[in-house]
Amino acid sequence: MFWETLWALVLGFGLSGVVQAFVTRGDMERALGRPGARTLGKATFLGMVSSSCSYAATAMAKSLFQKGADFTASLVFMIASTNLVVELGIVLALLLGWQFTASEFVGGFLMIAMFAVIARFFFPRTVVDAARSHLQAGADAGAHDHQAMSGMSLADQEAAERVPFHIRVRSLAGWSDAASYTMADITMLRREMVIGFGVAGFLAVLVPDAVWGHVFISGNGFWTSLENAFVGPFIAIISFICSIGNVPLAAALWKGGISFGGVVAFIFADLITLPLLIIYRKYFGTKVMLRILVSFWIVMSLGGLAIGYLVQALGLVPTSRPTQIAPTSFAFNYTSVLDVIFLAIFGILYYLHRNRARFGGGAGYAIDPVCGMQVETSSAPARATHNGVIQHFCSDRCREKFARKPERFVSAVADTSGGSEMYGEADARADDPVCGMTVEPGTAATHRIHEGRVLYFCSTGCAEAFDLDPVRYTATATH
């Protein structure tokens, strides 16, 4: 099964890395402040160009809400980030068929529209204010304010915006950052993918189809479709598998006899797995968590049900179910050729990732030492200092894991970092060689490597001035 989808995984994660590298978290925060249809549209787009990891999407939504984003827009961002991403669509097409890919995207937009309608009833202002107060109380109790953790004032963070898009997209630095996002996402989701493919393989081979018949009723028309659509998310809750890892399990469910709409509802429901519900409870409190669970379950089930009937009305439901999810033996065919081609592309991405410092990439980024996700240092959802080094995390969940046993993760980072500063940010500072401003290497707007020396800049303007006459400034540059 993995061999059948290998090329698609490389393609999907590669495209995801590209869009993440060129759309900054600052862009997201500025776009989602006001409630309304336009803001929800922006949240949908920004979710589509973000990482498909459910944990990362949840942490990012929390961070957006904490910084003033509309609560409904933050939740819409999560829905889009986990349902409207390219890597998910490609793997769905390979394992289940193009009908499921089309249903995932159409259903994703339908879910967002339904959620926008019911959110006003589930999340009135009093509930949102309570969620924000609970989140702020947790932040005050467990961490310093954002400025203290990042070492930058809000004004300095604005000044530390990265190189403009039209420059980055034509530079090796920008593409090396995109490659690093790709590697970070693969590292971050490796557990979900291994579990998903493994569990799906066991279910497909060892669990008789009759077992699924006892879980999902059949032959009762509308009631079958309704039961399947509401039980599908329940299976997602207790499976603990989220993100792209639940697609192989969805393939096993489809093989076992669950309805088309039930499979789609199961795929939609990767935001209400039990570990994520625990995270929602910690962020926003028990009452808000329960409202998120019920509202998500409703739109995910109704979305699956509606899509099931739509596909049935259009005559697009596959008429036969697979007897096996993927070939059980190796065969050299077009899939093998694509796998070889994309393995070569993966090698290029890995080369860019490993040499990003040489190409001028990595400024303003860090790698979460727990899950391996690449995060922007100026807007990382969580931080911690260990032995004088500031570590950046994709979520509070990763920070808590790090806090329990930091030596485990610090040693792992040391083994894999190769000395690159993107894996941790020292408390050391450097002077911008153009204007003389003191900057932190991990949060500098950009940097240059000149005659073997790494020079950090407070803004792209200083970096461009340096590019015009490097000899003038290197005489007194310090690092």
Side-chain angles (χ1 to χ4, degrees), residues 319-343:
T319 56
S320 61
R321 296 175 186 263
T323 57
Q324 60 182 28
I325 300 175
T328 56
S329 59
F330 177 81
F332 190 81
N333 50 28
Y334 79 94
T335 299
S336 302
V337 173
L338 288 172
D339 284 342
V340 171
I341 293 172
F342 277 89
L343 280 174

Side-chain angles (χ1 to χ4, degrees), residues 95-115:
L95 290 183
L96 289 164
W98 66 267
Q99 297 95 328
F100 283 92
T101 298
S103 298
E104 178 72 13
F105 281 87
V106 174
F109 287 110
L110 177 61
M111 275 199 304
I112 289 172
M114 290 191 295
F115 184 76

Side-chain angles (χ1 to χ4, degrees), residues 153-196:
S153 66
L154 293 176
D156 287 340
Q157 290 177 40
E158 289 293 328
E161 284 290 83
R162 294 180 299 150
V163 180
F165 172 81
H166 70 279
I167 296 177
R168 284 183 56 78
V169 79
R170 293 181 295 180
S171 69
L172 280 175
W175 288 100
S176 66
D177 286 337
S180 292
Y181 264 117
T182 297
M183 298 303 158
D185 278 357
I186 292 174
T187 301
M188 176 177 53
L189 292 175
R190 66 188 184 278
R191 176 177 173 272
E192 272 72 21
M193 289 191 290
V194 169
I195 294 176

Side-chain angles (χ1 to χ4, degrees), residues 5 16 52 122 237 295 344 377 408:
T5 60
S16 176
S52 61
F122 276 92
I237 292 173
S295 61
T377 55
R408 171 189 172 190

Side-chain angles (χ1 to χ4, degrees), residues 68-115:
D70 176 62
F71 189 64
T72 300
S74 299
L75 297 180
V76 165
F77 171 87
M78 289 166 52
I79 296 174
S81 182
T82 53
N83 291 284
L84 299 176
V85 287
V86 63
E87 59 264 39
L88 177 64
I90 295 174
V91 176
L92 276 171
L94 287 177
L95 290 183
L96 289 164
W98 66 267
Q99 297 95 328
F100 283 92
T101 298
S103 298
E104 178 72 13
F105 281 87
V106 174
F109 287 110
L110 177 61
M111 275 199 304
I112 289 172
M114 290 191 295
F115 184 76

